[in-house]
Amino acid sequence: TSAANSQAAQGDTASANQLAPKDLLYQYSTINGLIVGVDDGDMTLGELRKYGSMGLGTINALDGEMIEMDGKFYQIDSAGKLHVLDDATKTPFAVVTNFSPTNTTTISNVKNFSDLAAKLQSHFTKKNDFYAVKITGTFNYVKARTVPKQQKPYPPLTVATSHQSEFEFKNVKGTLFGFYTPKFASGINVPGWHLHFITDDKTSGGHVLDLHFDSANAQFAELTQFQVSLPQNKDFQNVNLAGDTSKDITKAESNHK
Ligand SMILES: C[C@H](O)[C@](C)(O)C(=O)O
Ligand SMILES: [Zn+2]
């Protein structure tokens, strides 16, 4: 009947425009997968966009850093060069959200990464939610890494990152975007803060290792829904992901010098 058809049409329209909930953290695979060297995934960036407009991660073969800004995906390669990624590109690990910030503040006099983490945390009312943050401004100093493309058999992430390129940006205009993961989810995702960086002129960026800045604008979104899409390929399904990887995650994800 025409009523049923129009109902179905409305349904289709709704599903076509259906955006993932704005309080959802969606990730493909787990950080433990990368830690043990599961560096190929089946999720395309075109598919990933359905779950979020902002995010971070890497692309297959751990070929550099990935950041998503307003639905566009970028790679920063091991030479520190930024490229636009096409929708057919696949990722072995990515974390995205339909970023709709609920509060905005100014963060000032940040001395280093852990100082930033403490200052961001002071705005959280809840200890066991996930958060997304977007920090924009001119940063006195940002130190960022980019991982080099790996060859099979893929090594553990700690080995791959031991060959990472590191870049130091001074008085740079850009955006930091990333997530806070509560410790109880360590191993599924990176516990604490995980931030990627992109310069405003879209020429470079990377995974943030350290930084300091006088003042920047921070927008937060509290994420109360958490969805993990588990790769169905044999690489992921055949490895042992049960080990305690907390030391390896710290080694692979944070600044050393
Ligand atoms: C390699 C890249 O920086 C990634 C996946 O975001 C991470 O391991 O931190
Ligand atoms: Zn990263």
Side-chain angles (χ1 to χ4, degrees):
T1 64
S2 60
N5 291 345
S6 66
Q7 182 63 31
Q10 269 170 11
D12 292 350
T13 318
S15 61
N17 301 337
Q18 183 70 32
L19 279 175
K22 59 184 183 338
D23 57 353
L24 171 71
L25 180 142
Y26 175 92
Q27 67 179 81
Y28 176 74
S29 192
T30 65
I31 193 64
N32 275 358
L34 277 188
I35 289 286
V36 299
V38 182
D39 293 355
D40 285 336
D42 305 321
M43 169 70 77
T44 64
L45 300 183
E47 177 68 18
L48 185 65
R49 185 185 290 112
K50 294 177 188 162
Y51 298 98
S53 56
M54 302 281 280
L56 52 73
T58 182
I59 62 175
N60 277 7
L62 208 75
D63 183 9
E65 307 296 326
M66 182 274 277
I67 187 166
E68 181 191 14
M69 288 276 120
D70 305 317
K72 283 196 84 160
F73 291 93
Y74 303 96
Q75 173 207 33
I76 300 102
D77 65 22
S78 54
K81 204 168 166 330
L82 183 134
H83 308 268
V84 176
L85 289 166
D86 64 38
D87 279 9
T89 306
K90 291 186 175 177
T91 173
F93 176 77
V95 189
V96 297
T97 189
N98 257 324
F99 189 59
S100 313
T102 46
N103 62 328
T104 299
T105 188
T106 300
I107 305 276
S108 308
N109 304 321
V110 167
K111 298 183 221 32
N112 53 39
F113 195 98
S114 47
D115 186 33
L116 173 62
K119 288 188 161 99
L120 291 173
Q121 234 96 348
S122 69
H123 292 274
F124 293 171
T125 50
K126 300 172 189 164
K127 291 274 170 290
N128 294 319
D129 272 350
F130 289 72
Y131 289 85
V133 75
K134 179 181 178 185
I135 306 173
T136 52
T138 301
F139 303 97
N140 305 69
Y141 173 76
V142 176
K143 181 180 180 186
R145 69 98 185 278
T146 61
V147 288
K149 183 172 184 176
Q150 300 299 301
Q151 308 299 325
K152 286 194 169 188
Y154 296 135
L157 187 61
T158 48
V159 171
T161 52
S162 70
H163 305 290
Q164 68 192 20
S165 311
E166 296 184 356
F167 302 92
E168 296 186 298
F169 302 86
K170 305 225 169 88
N171 297 321
V172 61
K173 280 174 71 66
T175 299
L176 307 167
F177 186 83
F179 300 92
Y180 173 80
T181 296
K183 297 268 178 306
F184 69 76
S186 179
I188 297 176
N189 210 319
V190 179
W193 284 100
H194 181 192
L195 299 172
H196 281 194
F197 175 61
I198 184 169
T199 58
D200 276 4
D201 63 9
K202 294 208 173 35
T203 55
S204 190
H207 167 106
V208 179
L209 293 173
D210 201 12
L211 74 177
H212 63 82
F213 59 86
D214 298 335
S215 172
N217 175 276
Q219 299 174 288
F220 296 104
E222 190 174 339
L223 306 177
T224 63
Q225 312 299 319
F226 177 42
Q227 181 177 342
V228 186
S229 173
L230 298 168
Q232 294 304 299
N233 57 36
K234 61 176 178 16
D235 305 37
F236 183 85
Q237 291 296 338
N238 290 350
V239 287
N240 170 15
L241 296 175
D244 172 10
T245 58
S246 41
K247 287 194 179 59
D248 288 343
I249 294 175
T250 304
K251 187 159 175 261
E253 303 295 74
S254 51
N255 195 29
H256 298 300
K257 288 116 203 154

